[in-house]
Amino acid sequence: MIAYRAMVDVPRELVRYLGRLLAAERRARGTRSGTRALTCFYQALLVLVWFRKGEDMTLLAAGFGISRATAYRYRDEGIAALAAQANDLHTALRRAADDGWSHVILDGKLFDCDRLAETALSVKGEVIDAWFSGKHRDFGANVQAVMRPDGLPIWTSAAMPGHLHDTSCARELGITAALNWAAADLHLPTLADSGYESAGHGIKTPVKQPTDGRRLAPDNRAYNRLLRGLRWQGERGFAILIGRWKTLRHTTASPRRIGDIIAAALHLTHFEYKYLPQSR
């Protein structure tokens, strides 16, 4: 292997923040000083390089002078430390309401992963690949997210098998119930696309075109146009995460862990938005 100098465009404050989280985790585990191959600062840097650049773990381990197995273990510790800081959905919705936002946006995305052998039964009783999405013609994990009107995600869900529909995932994870509660108690309605039709009165979706081919009534067309005008900005949420953290574009980890990886990336993004406004 040939070594070369490189840089990563993450702020030093973020490395220090993650280093403090890792130091707290080491103290909780009773790790003795000087027994780790990397300090908390350099372990945090390794984790952030992986998130930001999507580096191959073998090359990343060699660059930091540790074994491949140690690099994986350090990366997983960093993911767990960051994901543990994530708010639950009800807390995130309360914070959005307290911050004065008029609404939130619900959206789902299939995150690309390797092919898996896990199977499931379809609604027709046929055996299918659990993590294969017929809509996207690809393997992946279905993750739901709630975004502010300016596009910043405030909460992301656990990963669900790719063959499931967005509405099925949202209902199974209790997202629709929480969003309807927010609309009723916090006066914080949710805007969503037509895939979430019949998810509840608090979740506003477009009016569908009549099946007999007739045009929508003028008030329904105006409603749909207004809904699109408010929703498009919020649908940038996943693009913000994937554009900033390249490792989210494809993962070789177990797809069930994708939810924790995205929650960790979300927390990193929130740190940058909150403490480093110039990095937006």
Side-chain angles (χ1 to χ4, degrees):
M1 292 187 182
I2 300 175
Y4 67 97
R5 294 179 63 86
M7 298 184 71
V8 60
D9 57 340
V10 296
R12 182 172 289 269
E13 292 86 351
L14 186 56
V15 184
R16 290 172 175 164
Y17 170 71
L18 179 52
R20 290 194 295 271
L21 293 180
L22 293 170
E25 179 64 22
R26 292 187 185 186
R27 286 194 298 271
R29 294 185 179 189
T31 303
R32 291 175 297 166
S33 178
T35 59
R36 289 293 194 101
L38 295 180
T39 64
C40 293
F41 180 89
Y42 281 103
Q43 181 182 354
L45 183 58
L46 179 147
V47 173
L48 291 173
V49 170
W50 180 77
F51 268 107
R52 181 70 184 100
K53 303 178 72 176
E55 291 276 16
D56 178 82
M57 289 303 296
T58 301
L59 297 178
L60 194 57
F64 279 83
I66 58 178
S67 69
R68 182 169 177 265
T70 300
Y72 273 108
R73 186 171 71 252
Y74 282 3
R75 182 204 65 180
D76 292 345
E77 288 176 2
I79 292 171
L82 289 166
Q85 308 304 310
N87 290 323
D88 62 76
L89 180 53
H90 286 79
T91 301
L93 291 170
R94 285 194 185 96
R95 180 168 297 178
D98 292 341
D99 288 344
W101 296 105
S102 60
H103 61 276
V104 293
I105 294 97
L106 173 64
D107 199 11
K109 178 175 174 59
L110 188 80
F111 281 84
D112 190 50
C113 70
D114 288 349
R115 179 172 184 148
L116 296 166
E118 185 178 346
T119 59
L121 287 178
S122 69
V123 293
K124 298 180 180 180
E126 301 173 348
V127 177
I128 59 174
D129 291 310
W131 297 89
F132 182 79
S133 169
K135 175 182 177 181
H136 297 89
R137 301 292 180 183
D138 197 6
F139 286 84
N142 186 311
V143 174
Q144 303 292 301
V146 177
M147 274 77 71
R148 297 186 328 198
D150 65 350
L152 182 67
I154 61 173
W155 179 85
T156 56
S157 74
M160 298 292 286
H163 78 278
L164 294 175
H165 190 271
D166 283 340
T167 306
S168 300
C169 294
R171 284 176 174 157
E172 186 171 340
L173 294 170
I175 300 171
T176 54
L179 294 177
N180 282 302
W181 162 81
D185 288 14
L186 304 178
H187 306 291
L188 188 70
T190 300
L191 309 185
D193 59 36
S194 57
Y196 296 92
E197 187 182 23
S198 303
H201 292 294
I203 301 175
K204 310 301 181 183
T205 59
V207 178
K208 288 188 175 180
Q209 189 75 21
T211 56
D212 59 6
R214 289 182 294 112
R215 290 192 67 189
L216 285 174
D219 57 343
N220 287 336
R221 294 202 302 271
Y223 170 83
N224 286 352
R225 178 172 293 183
L226 177 62
L227 195 64
R228 287 195 302 269
L230 293 173
R231 199 183 72 236
W232 74 269
Q233 183 81 354
E235 292 186 342
R236 295 174 53 246
F238 284 121
I240 290 173
L241 293 178
I242 294 174
R244 180 61 180 156
W245 311 108
K246 294 182 181 178
T247 196
L248 301 182
R249 298 176 186 179
H250 177 83
T251 180
T252 58
S254 168
R256 296 194 181 277
R257 298 190 57 221
I258 291 177
D260 285 341
I261 295 172
I262 296 171
L266 175 62
H267 189 64
L268 293 174
T269 304
H270 273 250
F271 181 93
E272 292 190 338
Y273 267 68
K274 183 176 181 180
Y275 296 102
L276 302 163
Q278 68 277 9
S279 66
R280 298 184 187 185

